[in-house]
Amino acid sequence: LPTPSVDTGMGFERLVRVLQGKQSNYDTDVFSGTIATTGKLVGKPYKAGDDKESIAFRVIADHIRAISFTIADGQLPSNTGAGYVIRRILRRAVRYYYSYLDYKQPLLHQLVPVLAKQFENVFPELQQQLDFVSKVVKEEEEGFLRTIDSGIKRFIVYTTSSGDGASGSFAMEHITNKEEDIKLTSSYIDLISKYASFRKNNIISGEFAFELNDTYGFPIDLTNLMAKEISWSVDMEGFQNALQQQKDRSRAATTLDTEDWVVLQDGESSFVGYEQLTTATILLKYRKVTAKNKQQYQLVLKETPFYAESGGQCGDTGVLVFGTESIAVTDTRKENNLTIHFTDSLPTVMNSAVIAQVDTAKRKAICLHHSATHLMHAALRKVLGTHVAQKGSLVNTEYLRFDFSHFAKMTDAEILEVEQLVNEKIRENIPVVIKQLPKEEAIAMGAMALFGEKYADVVRVVVMDPAYSIELCGGTHVSYTGELGLFKLQHETAVAAGVRRVEAVCGLAAEQYINEQLVQLQQVKELFKNPKELLKAVENLSLENSELKKKAEQLENRLLVGIRNELLQKDEIINGITFIADIVEVSSADALKKLCLDLKNNLNDYVAVLAANIGGKPYVAVGIAETVAAVKGLDAGKIIKEHIAPLIKGGGGGQKTLATAGGQEAGQLKAVLEAVKKLL
């Protein structure tokens, strides 16, 4: 270039386009493989035009790259930060294939292998994590596909109906005829009238756009895109107002009312708690705070050994000794790089010397669990794969909680292997080495850094065997891994798409947990009269219980047949409808439903209302013949909600031909029967 450092905007794709003589980036072999595979999957050819279908092909080919590479780099879709950007990109792609390629099942995850193969020599990380990335993408697609249908249908109703009823009915018909298995659940008339003033000017109400976002997962840029396609616009000011109102409501629930700082002495505050747990210091400033009608105080010390809640590690507790007066510290947090100590009271004399004492037993328990988290993180990566990355953590005195990227439930064998590996490292009594290093040097030596986290130029590195665990961490730790004593993994669950959660204990907490389990096991043995083979005894009891349930069900069915026959003798004809109403003796609400279904097989044009007092609580079932529901306009679900639930002080619902309810007022069952009779 004539002038160095001038960006021509050429880029890789445009350079390839020139070299291959193509009119579009998407005609080059950078994208053609993905586009061809998409065509095969959806059963449509790519026309390379400006129509919506062709645009959908290009959107998918572009978006799947951004999604796949970023997930392989360690960032998962979420509702915040970089993860939210990924989610928005993915949902935009889903909307294009759903609406314009008429493909109603997950598609993007099927393209990940194509992409991984294409870039295996350029970006091998994607090929190495193929299963993980594919499963994360698929779970995200499935989650959005469950809500996109309802959202799009509401959008269609909003933008195609005039509000006079006729065109609204046409829109509803158009939608439900296209896919009869899915219908709008809310009233289109309410929807139209609610936002009528905006609709007259072809504007999507900000409140409605927020509803699509909040309830149906539509990012605002997706609603903007859909509006633009039909020459509408979105009331962005209204959307921002609705969003702000929700934030204000959330904030109000956790509002902390703070008074001004009372400054006693100027000076900088410093943390000395890595080396000391008791420190002589002075009080710099304090203020009163109120949260949920509870009054507390926040104190700032010149030097403090108290660790403030950070990086998943909970804050220290302890005492501040002012002369002969002790003030309990209930929590320690950070605010604007200040370590703030929470107390329920203030000392009588504030400008005296202060002895700050951390609760050493609690700090020790926290250190054990934090060091165990590092050992477990490394074990998870060795057992499950290097795609495992921390997505959140909590470390306190009682247990550790760790969220990490993984696509499947851990097997019992994997859990056992992780436990064994961590306990092996504990028995090796590895020295825990902590260094201050330049960030680049720390990363070069293999230290794990959290994706999206900001680190200073000089970082704190915690090493537990250079060949096993090296992490950037500001938390407090033990000196040797042997101090952990014993590690036990308690629970493993899912918390989000592609994110698992484990909870574990070590040290005294692990010992207590195991002892509790052994006590429970002994109690179970005693209940079974201490059999030689406990498992066999449990299996026999389970089998026996299953047989008894079958017999009980057979007896109940015989009983219900008898009740059914008695009910058929109690029918009366009201306006040409066979009406049966009675309070029956049954053992469960499900039995009432069975009776209604049985009556259906023995009657034609009928309405049946059956009630029962089960354990002091009222239960009701209403059955209506389809012919009666259609001709007379009766709806069992509406009858339950409007006429029965209020009487018995309960709730319920169901379909037009069968609905049930439960409540609190068992003395109103006769009134229930009369109420239904009056409707006929």
Side-chain angles (χ1 to χ4, degrees):
L1 296 173
T3 305
S5 306
V6 172
D7 185 358
T8 65
M10 175 72 79
F12 174 69
E13 288 84 358
R14 289 177 180 171
L15 182 60
V16 173
R17 173 173 152 193
V18 171
L19 291 174
Q20 295 184 356
K22 302 295 183 182
Q23 295 299 308
S24 164
N25 291 353
Y26 296 97
D27 294 333
T28 68
D29 60 10
V30 176
F31 293 102
S32 59
T34 308
I35 289 175
T37 303
T38 302
K40 290 177 183 177
L41 291 169
V42 303
K44 296 177 185 290
Y46 173 56
K47 300 171 186 174
D50 293 327
D51 55 292
K52 293 287 197 304
E53 198 173 274
S54 297
I55 292 172
F57 273 95
R58 295 195 286 271
V59 167
I60 291 165
D62 176 80
H63 287 16
I64 188 61
R65 291 203 312 171
I67 296 162
S68 300
F69 292 147
T70 319
I71 293 174
D73 254 348
Q75 180 60 55
L76 292 173
S78 68
N79 286 329
T80 58
Y84 183 54
V85 177
I86 309 252
R87 179 163 283 170
R88 287 169 66 182
I89 293 171
L90 187 146
R91 289 185 172 183
R92 188 172 189 264
V94 171
R95 187 262 163 165
Y96 266 93
Y97 72 65
Y98 182 94
S99 294
Y100 300 124
L101 300 181
D102 197 28
Y103 198 78
K104 311 299 185 186
Q105 59 197 39
L107 169 68
L108 300 176
H109 75 100
Q110 300 179 70
L111 301 175
V112 177
V114 178
L115 205 62
K117 180 65 178 174
Q118 180 184 3
F119 287 90
E120 64 180 338
N121 297 319
V122 182
F123 193 79
E125 291 86 349
L126 184 55
Q127 185 68 54
Q128 292 162 6
Q129 301 182 61
L130 180 58
D131 286 345
F132 172 68
V133 176
S134 299
K135 288 182 180 180
V136 170
V137 172
K138 185 180 181 183
E139 285 187 24
E140 275 291 309
E141 288 185 275
E142 289 174 338
F144 188 42
L145 284 168
R146 282 193 288 269
T147 58
I148 189 175
D149 192 82
S150 297
I152 287 179
K153 286 180 168 64
R154 288 182 69 81
F155 185 91
I156 292 172
V157 170
Y158 182 101
T159 56
T160 60
S161 307
S162 66
D164 58 6
S167 58
S169 298
F170 172 77
M172 287 288 288
E173 249 176 60
H174 172 72
I175 291 166
T176 53
N177 283 344
K178 187 176 181 183
E179 285 198 37
E180 293 181 355
D181 57 320
I182 306 175
K183 298 181 180 180
L184 286 175
T185 56
S186 59
S187 166
Y188 67 87
I189 296 175
D190 290 344
L191 181 64
I192 294 160
S193 61
K194 187 176 180 181
Y195 307 114
S197 59
F198 290 93
R199 294 182 63 267
K200 289 176 183 176
N201 299 310
N202 287 2
I203 297 173
I204 302 292
S205 153
E207 189 180 344
F208 178 63
F210 177 73
E211 182 184 318
L212 287 179
N213 176 270
D214 195 45
T215 307
Y216 300 101
F218 278 65
I220 186 61
D221 54 346
L222 182 54
T223 304
N224 265 313
L225 178 69
M226 291 166 62
K228 187 177 179 181
E229 289 171 351
I230 57 172
S231 301
W232 281 47
S233 61
V234 178
D235 170 27
M236 288 304 298
E237 184 179 347
F239 174 81
Q240 293 298 339
N241 287 338
L243 182 62
Q244 188 60 47
Q245 286 173 16
Q246 187 195 52
K247 288 181 178 178
D248 290 343
R249 287 192 295 270
S250 299
R251 195 176 294 114
T254 57
T255 297
L256 187 69
D257 184 20
T258 59
E259 295 186 1
D260 291 336
W261 286 108
V262 177
V263 180
L264 301 177
Q265 296 193 44
D266 291 326
E268 296 293 322
S269 177
S270 60
F271 173 66
V272 296
Y274 289 134
E275 300 83 19
Q276 305 172 38
L277 294 183
T278 300
T279 305
T281 183
I282 58 173
L283 179 62
L284 294 180
K285 58 184 179 179
Y286 70 91
R287 68 182 176 187
K288 184 166 74 173
V289 297
T290 305
K292 296 181 180 178
N293 297 320
K294 181 183 178 182
Q295 184 175 290
Q296 283 188 300
Y297 297 91
Q298 295 179 345
L299 284 66
V300 176
L301 305 175
K302 184 172 177 59
E303 296 89 17
T304 179
F306 286 79
Y307 182 87
E309 179 181 313
S310 180
Q313 179 173 328
C314 69
D316 281 334
T317 61
V319 294
L320 302 178
V321 182
F322 293 79
T324 59
E325 190 176 6
S326 290
I327 303 294
V329 176
T330 58
D331 196 6
T332 311
R333 298 181 197 169
K334 267 189 179 177
E335 184 179 307
N336 298 325
N337 286 326
L338 280 178
T339 298
I340 295 177
H341 309 77
F342 283 74
T343 67
D344 291 332
S345 61
L346 288 174
T348 306
V349 181
M350 299 190 193
N351 52 8
S352 67
V354 183
I355 302 298
Q357 298 177 339
V358 172
D359 185 322
T360 55
K362 285 188 176 181
R363 167 68 83 84
K364 180 68 173 179
I366 292 169
C367 288
L368 293 177
H369 283 129
H370 202 153
S371 296
T373 301
H374 283 222
L375 293 177
M376 184 184 69
H377 188 185
L380 287 167
R381 288 173 64 85
K382 287 187 178 295
V383 173
L384 302 179
T386 54
H387 63 271
V388 167
Q390 179 178 334
K391 295 300 171 186
S393 71
L394 171 67
V395 179
N396 60 28
T397 58
E398 298 171 355
Y399 67 100
L400 69 89
R401 187 180 74 207
F402 188 74
D403 297 346
F404 61 98
S405 51
H406 188 52
F407 52 82
K409 178 179 174 61
M410 289 178 68
T411 65
D412 291 342
E414 288 169 339
I415 289 173
L416 182 61
E417 191 175 351
V418 168
E419 280 187 348
Q420 289 174 337
L421 188 50
V422 173
N423 282 312
E424 179 184 317
K425 294 301 175 183
I426 291 172
R427 288 191 295 273
E428 288 177 15
N429 199 27
I430 302 165
V432 178
V433 180
I434 298 175
K435 304 176 181 179
Q436 297 282 344
L437 295 173
K439 182 177 69 173
E440 298 306 321
E441 185 180 335
I443 299 298
M445 68 183 287
M448 278 193 290
L450 298 184
F451 188 96
E453 284 289 316
K454 293 180 181 178
Y455 294 97
D457 293 335
V458 177
V459 293
R460 189 167 181 267
V461 185
V462 178
V463 183
M464 299 179 191
D465 182 350
Y468 183 74
S469 172
I470 309 174
E471 290 196 39
L472 305 184
C473 179
T476 61
H477 290 275
V478 298
S479 299
Y480 290 86
T481 60
E483 295 175 45
L484 274 58
L486 176 67
F487 172 84
K488 186 65 182 174
L489 209 153
Q490 294 175 300
H491 307 291
E492 192 271 353
T493 57
V495 289
V499 180
R500 307 296 300 182
R501 170 174 291 174
V502 289
E503 292 182 5
V505 285
C506 66
L508 181 60
E511 186 180 326
Q512 290 171 340
Y513 173 73
I514 290 173
N515 284 337
E516 287 168 3
Q517 299 301 306
L518 290 173
V519 167
Q520 287 183 26
L521 180 61
Q522 185 56 40
Q523 289 171 342
V524 172
K525 284 182 176 180
E526 289 173 1
L527 286 172
F528 281 88
K529 309 299 182 187
N530 292 305
K532 290 182 179 179
E533 296 183 46
L534 178 61
L535 186 59
K536 187 67 175 175
V538 173
E539 288 175 349
N540 289 339
L541 182 65
S542 177
L543 185 62
E544 183 182 339
N545 185 50
S546 179
E547 291 296 324
L548 288 172
K549 280 184 177 179
K550 287 179 182 178
K551 290 179 180 179
E553 190 176 340
Q554 290 171 354
L555 289 171
E556 184 184 66
N557 288 338
R558 291 178 187 173
L559 179 64
L560 292 181
V561 169
I563 295 173
R564 188 261 334 260
N565 291 336
E566 289 180 12
L567 289 171
L568 291 173
Q569 304 300 317
K570 297 179 180 180
D571 65 317
E572 56 181 308
I573 306 299
I574 303 175
N575 291 327
I577 297 171
T578 301
F579 179 62
I580 293 179
D582 201 4
I583 299 172
V584 297
E585 289 189 17
V586 292
S587 60
S588 67
D590 190 51
L592 285 179
K593 284 180 69 174
K594 286 181 180 179
L595 277 172
C596 280
L597 291 169
D598 201 5
L599 288 172
K600 178 181 178 180
N601 298 326
N602 290 270
L603 298 168
N604 292 319
D605 300 332
Y606 75 95
V607 171
V609 53
L610 305 179
N613 182 334
I614 304 172
K617 291 190 175 182
Y619 292 90
V620 181
V622 175
I624 301 176
E626 291 180 4
T627 51
V628 174
V631 175
K632 299 291 185 180
L634 293 175
D635 185 321
K638 282 187 177 181
I639 291 172
I640 284 286
K641 290 178 181 177
E642 296 174 8
H643 300 281
I644 295 176
L647 282 173
I648 61 174
K649 292 185 179 179
Q655 301 171 339
K656 281 189 175 184
T657 57
L658 180 62
T660 59
Q664 303 297 322
E665 288 289 337
Q668 291 294 316
L669 292 181
K670 286 186 178 179
V672 165
L673 305 185
E674 287 300 319
V676 178
K677 186 174 183 179
K678 285 180 182 178
L679 294 176
L680 304 185

